[in-house]
Amino acid sequence: MQGLMQDVPLTLQMLLERADALYPSKTIATKREDGVHRQTYAQTVDRVARLAAALQAAGVKPGDRVATFGWNSSRHLELYLAVPCMGAVLHTLNIRLHPTQIAYIANHAEDQTVFVDASVAALWQQVRGLNTVRRVVVMDDLTPEGRPGMSAESAIPGADDYEAFLETGGTAFRWPKLDENQAAAMCYTSGTTGHPKGVVYAHRSSLLHSMGVLFADTLALSERDTALVIVPQFHANAWGMPYAAVLTGADLVLPSRFTDPASIASVVASEQVTMSAAVPTIWFGVLQAIRGGEIDPAALASLERIVVGGSAVPEALMRGYDELGIRILHAWGMTETSPLGTVARVKTTVPEEQALRIRLTQGLPTPTLRVRIVTEDGSVAPWDGKTMGELQISGPWIADAYYEPEAPDQRGGHDRFADDDGTRWLKTGDVAVIDHEGYVQLVDRTKDLVKSGGEWISTLELENLLAAHAGVVEAAVIAVPHPKWDERPLACVVSRDPDLTSGQLCAYLAEHLAKWQVPDDVVFIDEVPKTSVGKFDKKALRERYREYRLPDT
Ligand code: AMP
């Protein structure tokens, strides 16, 4: 017997409809150099319709990729809404990558239209060899409010200006009927091997994920909140916060490029922010600024809770914010998991004395998701808090394939996706244990990458570049702990040239990579330790340099 309920397509158009009907006076605030720009949801919905109409008039068709290259802002939010809701696909490009990496990603996704913040226009212009981009629109985030704007042409030759572009669309845009499983957005993530991989979110997965963000036992974002979204909109949908905020009618605060501790404190105070989300590096910076007397903790008085993820939350950070009366919610996720996978809420069945330990785990799977640990011999581990293995995850907002232009609609293929008795699993590359209460605790990762301040650095890319240097015999790159950035890369190099210095090798790498991707130091060793099958034994190197202090720490 079938259920007899309405089969309503779960699309992001529901967000627009609700914002317009229920929360027209709620606001979106964007930090600017000269103050804060505010607009209501009603104004936003109107601008979103204009944007969709302008995109259509400019020839953007269903399924076309529209990319963004910018900071968190109300315009970026308008693109988050207009592009998927008109049936096109939003592709958020990471502005922190090297121009050659950005070109690879934009070409692979076949981006046709790109919206660029004026403050990163110079970066965009360094991106060469774009094969599919036909139109660039500049979003002027530099001109002070109320002054005549800069010309888009002066920022990027041939580009349109966002506000002028909006004027080309009427407000009477008719939103098309969408299939809930059609693509809504794309985001690329660093591959452990080879090139970055594209994750393609569906309308249905994004809508369900937004609901997942609202649960009382997850992030509990609600209409009563004013949410400051510091995690970039180009990182895994800004952890789903923008969509969830619109769905529930929360006030949104978007910091643009002003994410230093003083700017965060000032916008929290001026907007009376109640919750926020960012990686540990950001929150460490704020804590240090408070301790150093640069920020008055009273500025953060309205802040009730902060979502921290992307890297593990250290105990000192949790305790530091507990002392300030600000609750850290530790969350784990990946670009492939939309990203909210687990949240460390303490169950009532957990004894009080265990609460801090539990809050430091990665947490419980969000409702509708399932997790398991698979050991090296392929068996599923018991939830005993001891048996380690790869964390696997399954659920309605977990990726089932990476984007392949040759086979855009096909699932599976890549060895990160597994099928077990009809259940699809994503192999996360994180090594974890699960305790008898269901709390996931990460203990290691199989991904040979370095996570620095929330951004990935490919050790493979560094090793390939180093190996190509005339003075290098072989090179292995490992992550070493860093108090501010969580991890930084350390290059271990076997050199054939006794005069070769760390500085020379770093300068050479800087020619090919973004500055923050270059190792802080190079150590010269006699030989890279190898495993029994002749692979670099990174475990042995990590063990050797566990206590290593980088030059600036
Ligand atoms: P990304 O796809 O760039 O969001 O990176 C996802 C990866 O970041 C995960 O697979 C983990 O390795 C790491 N990660 C994310 N959140 C946490 C966390 N709370 N604790 C430890 N590692 C995390």
Side-chain angles (χ1 to χ4, degrees), residues 19-53:
D20 198 24
L22 302 176
Y23 312 113
S25 62
K26 300 306 286 278
T27 58
I28 297 153
T30 305
K31 183 110 174 85
R32 310 229 357 162
E33 188 122 43
D34 55 329
V36 175
H37 164 85
R38 287 189 190 80
Q39 65 187 45
T40 63
Y41 274 25
Q43 288 167 325
T44 305
V45 171
D46 177 68
R47 286 169 60 86
V48 166
R50 277 180 194 279
L51 177 56

Short mmCIF file of all heavy atoms in Angstrom, two decimals, residues 19-53:
data_model
loop_
_atom_site.label_atom_id
_atom_site.label_comp_id
_atom_site.label_asym_id
_atom_site.label_seq_id
_atom_site.Cartn_x
_atom_site.Cartn_y
_atom_site.Cartn_z
N ALA A 19 10.39 33.63 2.22
CA ALA A 19 11.01 34.91 2.60
C ALA A 19 10.09 36.06 2.23
O ALA A 19 9.90 37.01 2.99
CB ALA A 19 12.36 35.05 1.91
N ASP A 20 9.49 35.94 1.04
CA ASP A 20 8.63 36.99 0.52
C ASP A 20 7.33 37.07 1.33
O ASP A 20 6.91 38.16 1.76
CB ASP A 20 8.31 36.67 -0.95
CG ASP A 20 7.81 37.89 -1.69
OD1 ASP A 20 8.13 39.01 -1.23
OD2 ASP A 20 7.11 37.72 -2.69
N ALA A 21 6.73 35.91 1.58
CA ALA A 21 5.40 35.90 2.22
C ALA A 21 5.48 36.12 3.72
O ALA A 21 4.63 36.78 4.30
CB ALA A 21 4.71 34.57 1.93
N LEU A 22 6.50 35.56 4.36
CA LEU A 22 6.49 35.52 5.83
C LEU A 22 7.48 36.46 6.51
O LEU A 22 7.27 36.86 7.64
CB LEU A 22 6.78 34.09 6.31
CG LEU A 22 5.82 33.02 5.82
CD1 LEU A 22 6.27 31.65 6.28
CD2 LEU A 22 4.42 33.30 6.33
N TYR A 23 8.59 36.77 5.85
CA TYR A 23 9.64 37.52 6.55
C TYR A 23 10.11 38.75 5.77
O TYR A 23 11.30 39.03 5.72
CB TYR A 23 10.85 36.61 6.82
CG TYR A 23 10.48 35.28 7.43
CD1 TYR A 23 10.66 34.09 6.72
CD2 TYR A 23 9.96 35.22 8.72
CE1 TYR A 23 10.31 32.87 7.29
CE2 TYR A 23 9.60 34.00 9.28
CZ TYR A 23 9.78 32.83 8.56
OH TYR A 23 9.43 31.63 9.12
N PRO A 24 9.20 39.49 5.13
CA PRO A 24 9.66 40.57 4.24
C PRO A 24 10.50 41.62 4.94
O PRO A 24 11.38 42.22 4.33
CB PRO A 24 8.34 41.18 3.72
CG PRO A 24 7.29 40.74 4.69
CD PRO A 24 7.72 39.41 5.20
N SER A 25 10.29 41.83 6.24
CA SER A 25 11.04 42.92 6.90
C SER A 25 12.33 42.44 7.56
O SER A 25 13.08 43.25 8.10
CB SER A 25 10.15 43.60 7.94
OG SER A 25 9.81 42.64 8.93
N LYS A 26 12.60 41.13 7.54
CA LYS A 26 13.86 40.66 8.11
C LYS A 26 15.01 41.14 7.21
O LYS A 26 14.80 41.43 6.03
CB LYS A 26 13.88 39.12 8.23
CG LYS A 26 12.80 38.55 9.10
CD LYS A 26 12.74 39.12 10.51
CE LYS A 26 13.81 38.68 11.44
NZ LYS A 26 13.67 37.42 12.11
N THR A 27 16.22 41.21 7.77
CA THR A 27 17.27 41.91 7.02
C THR A 27 18.51 41.06 6.72
O THR A 27 18.81 40.09 7.40
CB THR A 27 17.75 43.14 7.81
OG1 THR A 27 18.23 42.70 9.07
CG2 THR A 27 16.66 44.17 7.99
N ILE A 28 19.19 41.53 5.68
CA ILE A 28 20.50 40.98 5.32
C ILE A 28 21.47 42.16 5.41
O ILE A 28 21.30 43.17 4.71
CB ILE A 28 20.47 40.40 3.90
CG1 ILE A 28 19.49 39.23 3.87
CG2 ILE A 28 21.86 39.95 3.46
CD1 ILE A 28 18.89 39.00 2.53
N ALA A 29 22.43 42.04 6.29
CA ALA A 29 23.40 43.11 6.48
C ALA A 29 24.74 42.66 5.91
O ALA A 29 25.16 41.53 6.13
CB ALA A 29 23.54 43.43 7.97
N THR A 30 25.38 43.55 5.15
CA THR A 30 26.71 43.23 4.61
C THR A 30 27.70 44.27 5.10
O THR A 30 27.46 45.48 4.95
CB THR A 30 26.68 43.24 3.06
OG1 THR A 30 25.67 42.35 2.61
CG2 THR A 30 28.03 42.80 2.49
N LYS A 31 28.79 43.79 5.68
CA LYS A 31 29.82 44.72 6.18
C LYS A 31 30.52 45.37 5.00
O LYS A 31 30.81 44.71 3.99
CB LYS A 31 30.81 43.93 7.04
CG LYS A 31 31.89 44.76 7.67
CD LYS A 31 31.70 44.85 9.17
CE LYS A 31 32.87 45.57 9.83
NZ LYS A 31 32.71 47.03 9.83
N ARG A 32 30.73 46.69 5.12
CA ARG A 32 31.47 47.42 4.09
C ARG A 32 32.55 48.22 4.79
O ARG A 32 32.53 48.39 5.99
CB ARG A 32 30.53 48.37 3.31
CG ARG A 32 29.29 47.70 2.82
CD ARG A 32 28.95 47.91 1.41
NE ARG A 32 29.78 48.79 0.64
CZ ARG A 32 29.77 48.79 -0.68
NH1 ARG A 32 29.01 47.95 -1.34
NH2 ARG A 32 30.52 49.62 -1.37
N GLU A 33 33.48 48.69 3.99
CA GLU A 33 34.58 49.47 4.56
C GLU A 33 34.06 50.65 5.38
O GLU A 33 34.55 50.97 6.45
CB GLU A 33 35.45 50.00 3.41
CG GLU A 33 36.72 50.65 3.88
CD GLU A 33 37.92 49.96 3.26
OE1 GLU A 33 37.87 49.67 2.05
OE2 GLU A 33 38.90 49.71 3.98
N ASP A 34 32.98 51.27 4.87
CA ASP A 34 32.48 52.50 5.46
C ASP A 34 31.24 52.29 6.31
O ASP A 34 30.52 53.22 6.60
CB ASP A 34 32.15 53.50 4.34
CG ASP A 34 31.18 52.90 3.33
OD1 ASP A 34 31.22 51.67 3.13
OD2 ASP A 34 30.39 53.65 2.74
N GLY A 35 30.94 51.06 6.70
CA GLY A 35 29.76 50.82 7.53
C GLY A 35 29.11 49.50 7.20
O GLY A 35 29.80 48.54 6.87
N VAL A 36 27.78 49.48 7.29
CA VAL A 36 27.05 48.23 7.03
C VAL A 36 25.93 48.53 6.03
O VAL A 36 25.16 49.48 6.22
CB VAL A 36 26.46 47.68 8.35
CG1 VAL A 36 25.59 46.45 8.08
CG2 VAL A 36 27.57 47.33 9.34
N HIS A 37 25.87 47.73 4.96
CA HIS A 37 24.77 47.87 4.00
C HIS A 37 23.65 46.93 4.44
O HIS A 37 23.90 45.76 4.74
CB HIS A 37 25.26 47.48 2.60
CG HIS A 37 24.15 47.23 1.63
ND1 HIS A 37 23.55 48.23 0.92
CD2 HIS A 37 23.51 46.09 1.29
CE1 HIS A 37 22.59 47.73 0.16
NE2 HIS A 37 22.55 46.42 0.37
N ARG A 38 22.42 47.46 4.50
CA ARG A 38 21.30 46.61 4.92
C ARG A 38 20.23 46.58 3.84
O ARG A 38 19.93 47.60 3.23
CB ARG A 38 20.65 47.16 6.19
CG ARG A 38 21.47 46.94 7.41
CD ARG A 38 20.75 47.29 8.69
NE ARG A 38 21.72 47.25 9.77
CZ ARG A 38 22.58 48.22 10.04
NH1 ARG A 38 22.55 49.34 9.34
NH2 ARG A 38 23.46 48.10 11.00
N GLN A 39 19.65 45.42 3.63
CA GLN A 39 18.46 45.35 2.78
C GLN A 39 17.51 44.31 3.37
O GLN A 39 17.95 43.39 4.07
CB GLN A 39 18.83 45.01 1.33
CG GLN A 39 19.43 43.65 1.11
CD GLN A 39 19.93 43.45 -0.34
OE1 GLN A 39 20.58 44.33 -0.90
NE2 GLN A 39 19.62 42.32 -0.93
N THR A 40 16.22 44.48 3.11
CA THR A 40 15.24 43.55 3.68
C THR A 40 15.12 42.32 2.78
O THR A 40 15.56 42.33 1.63
CB THR A 40 13.85 44.22 3.78
OG1 THR A 40 13.42 44.52 2.44
CG2 THR A 40 13.89 45.48 4.62
N TYR A 41 14.45 41.31 3.32
CA TYR A 41 14.18 40.13 2.49
C TYR A 41 13.27 40.51 1.32
O TYR A 41 13.44 39.99 0.22
CB TYR A 41 13.51 39.03 3.33
CG TYR A 41 14.49 38.13 4.06
CD1 TYR A 41 15.77 38.53 4.39
CD2 TYR A 41 14.12 36.83 4.42
CE1 TYR A 41 16.65 37.70 5.06
CE2 TYR A 41 15.00 35.98 5.08
CZ TYR A 41 16.26 36.41 5.39
OH TYR A 41 17.12 35.57 6.05
N ALA A 42 12.32 41.42 1.56
CA ALA A 42 11.41 41.83 0.46
C ALA A 42 12.24 42.45 -0.68
O ALA A 42 12.05 42.11 -1.85
CB ALA A 42 10.38 42.83 0.97
N GLN A 43 13.17 43.33 -0.31
CA GLN A 43 14.02 43.94 -1.34
C GLN A 43 14.88 42.86 -2.02
O GLN A 43 15.10 42.89 -3.23
CB GLN A 43 14.95 44.99 -0.72
CG GLN A 43 14.23 46.26 -0.30
CD GLN A 43 15.09 47.14 0.60
OE1 GLN A 43 15.88 46.63 1.41
NE2 GLN A 43 14.93 48.43 0.48
N THR A 44 15.33 41.91 -1.21
CA THR A 44 16.20 40.86 -1.76
C THR A 44 15.43 40.01 -2.77
O THR A 44 15.94 39.73 -3.87
CB THR A 44 16.74 39.98 -0.61
OG1 THR A 44 17.39 40.83 0.33
CG2 THR A 44 17.72 38.94 -1.12
N VAL A 45 14.20 39.62 -2.42
CA VAL A 45 13.41 38.79 -3.33
C VAL A 45 13.17 39.54 -4.64
O VAL A 45 13.25 38.97 -5.73
CB VAL A 45 12.07 38.37 -2.66
CG1 VAL A 45 11.15 37.69 -3.66
CG2 VAL A 45 12.36 37.45 -1.47
N ASP A 46 12.93 40.84 -4.54
CA ASP A 46 12.73 41.66 -5.73
C ASP A 46 14.00 41.68 -6.59
O ASP A 46 13.97 41.50 -7.80
CB ASP A 46 12.35 43.08 -5.27
CG ASP A 46 12.20 44.02 -6.43
OD1 ASP A 46 11.25 43.82 -7.20
OD2 ASP A 46 13.04 44.93 -6.58
N ARG A 47 15.14 41.87 -5.93
CA ARG A 47 16.41 41.91 -6.68
C ARG A 47 16.74 40.53 -7.28
O ARG A 47 17.32 40.43 -8.37
CB ARG A 47 17.54 42.39 -5.76
CG ARG A 47 17.47 43.90 -5.48
CD ARG A 47 18.42 44.32 -4.37
NE ARG A 47 19.82 44.03 -4.64
CZ ARG A 47 20.65 44.84 -5.31
NH1 ARG A 47 20.23 45.99 -5.79
NH2 ARG A 47 21.91 44.49 -5.50
N VAL A 48 16.37 39.48 -6.56
CA VAL A 48 16.63 38.12 -7.05
C VAL A 48 15.83 37.88 -8.34
O VAL A 48 16.34 37.31 -9.31
CB VAL A 48 16.29 37.08 -5.95
CG1 VAL A 48 16.22 35.67 -6.52
CG2 VAL A 48 17.31 37.15 -4.82
N ALA A 49 14.59 38.35 -8.37
CA ALA A 49 13.76 38.20 -9.58
C ALA A 49 14.37 38.98 -10.75
O ALA A 49 14.43 38.50 -11.88
CB ALA A 49 12.33 38.67 -9.30
N ARG A 50 14.85 40.19 -10.45
CA ARG A 50 15.51 41.00 -11.49
C ARG A 50 16.75 40.29 -12.02
O ARG A 50 17.03 40.28 -13.22
CB ARG A 50 15.98 42.33 -10.91
CG ARG A 50 14.94 43.37 -10.84
CD ARG A 50 15.55 44.63 -10.24
NE ARG A 50 14.50 45.53 -9.87
CZ ARG A 50 13.89 46.34 -10.73
NH1 ARG A 50 14.25 46.38 -11.99
NH2 ARG A 50 12.92 47.13 -10.32
N LEU A 51 17.51 39.73 -11.09
CA LEU A 51 18.75 39.05 -11.47
C LEU A 51 18.45 37.86 -12.37
O LEU A 51 19.10 37.65 -13.41
CB LEU A 51 19.49 38.62 -10.19
CG LEU A 51 20.79 37.83 -10.36
CD1 LEU A 51 21.79 38.58 -11.22
CD2 LEU A 51 21.40 37.53 -8.98
N ALA A 52 17.42 37.06 -11.98
CA ALA A 52 17.06 35.90 -12.80
C ALA A 52 16.62 36.36 -14.19
O ALA A 52 17.02 35.78 -15.21
CB ALA A 52 15.94 35.12 -12.11
N ALA A 53 15.84 37.45 -14.23
CA ALA A 53 15.36 37.96 -15.52
C ALA A 53 16.54 38.44 -16.37
O ALA A 53 16.61 38.20 -17.58
CB ALA A 53 14.35 39.09 -15.30
#
